[in-house]
Amino acid sequence: MDKILSTRAMLLKAKQEGYAVPAFNIHNMETLQVVVETAAEMGSPVIIAGTPSTITYAGAEYIKAMAEVAAEKYNIPIAIHLDHFEDVEEIKHDIDVGFRSCMIDASKEAFENNITTVKEVVDYAHRFDCTVEAELGKLGGQEDDLVVDEKDTMYTNPKDAVEFVKATGVDSLAVAIGTAHGLYKGEPKLDFERLQKIRDMVDVPLVLHGASDVPDELVQKAISLGICKVNIATDLKIPFSDAVKKYFNEHPEANDPRKYMTPGKEAMKKIVQHKINVCGSANRY
Ligand code: 13P
């Protein structure tokens, strides 16, 4: 069996059974280790996501090799996912490296151009059994180098979503229903009515981006209304870096990465456990 999977089977199972698979953004070996080890302990399927800057930083081949080692070690379903990629050639390259799940984010393009770009990726990716996620509408906030001003955000139109999925053949759809990347100024307001409409009209699994800093009950309500994949980045980065900062404050002479990284990993692990519980994905394989 291939060790690195597409997200097809795992998201369809989540859709049928009414839970979500968490997609955790990782940056290096340590963060990947925490995610896979915790998912294995809890029996949760898991998606390891890397943005373009993460893949540039760590290297697609390194991420793929580490994920393979982790999948083998723990014998669990793992997908490694290209998150918010905008460059079609980069996606093709990383599929050639062995990624079997990708997001082509052409959401800032006009509807027709979004379709054309996504379709090109779908045509390529499906030859390698790689699943493709796309975004319709536009999420606000900041995800690494991707910054969308609040005034440029746009909610997903359910009718457009039907046409978009049909025209592109995309495997899953990221919907804009009021979440944003990063931290919120006030309490996020999610448009559940819109989500329900999209769910009723569109067949493919739906994806919630920007799930950090969203109250658990709201994420769970979104899952109950059809979200099958929940993306989490910021809620992991903050406790990891806070714990490392605290360690350096308490041990200003420290210089051993094995020592100063460990509290970061421990802090991150607690959040990964919590998010798996919020997603309802424990003991699902
Ligand atoms: P957050 O950083 O808000 O968790 O968003 C993560 C995300 O949507 C990655 O695609």
Side-chain angles (χ1 to χ4, degrees), residues 238-256:
I238 293 174
F240 193 111
S241 53
D242 280 352
V244 176
K245 284 179 222 166
K246 181 166 178 277
Y247 187 84
F248 274 116
N249 274 334
E250 289 165 3
H251 307 85
E253 75 300 341
N255 60 15
D256 183 340

Side-chain angles (χ1 to χ4, degrees), residues 161-183:
V162 175
E163 191 185 333
F164 185 81
V165 169
K166 197 159 163 246
T168 56
V170 82
D171 301 286
S172 58
L173 184 69
V175 290
I177 55 162
T179 55
H181 292 121
L183 299 179

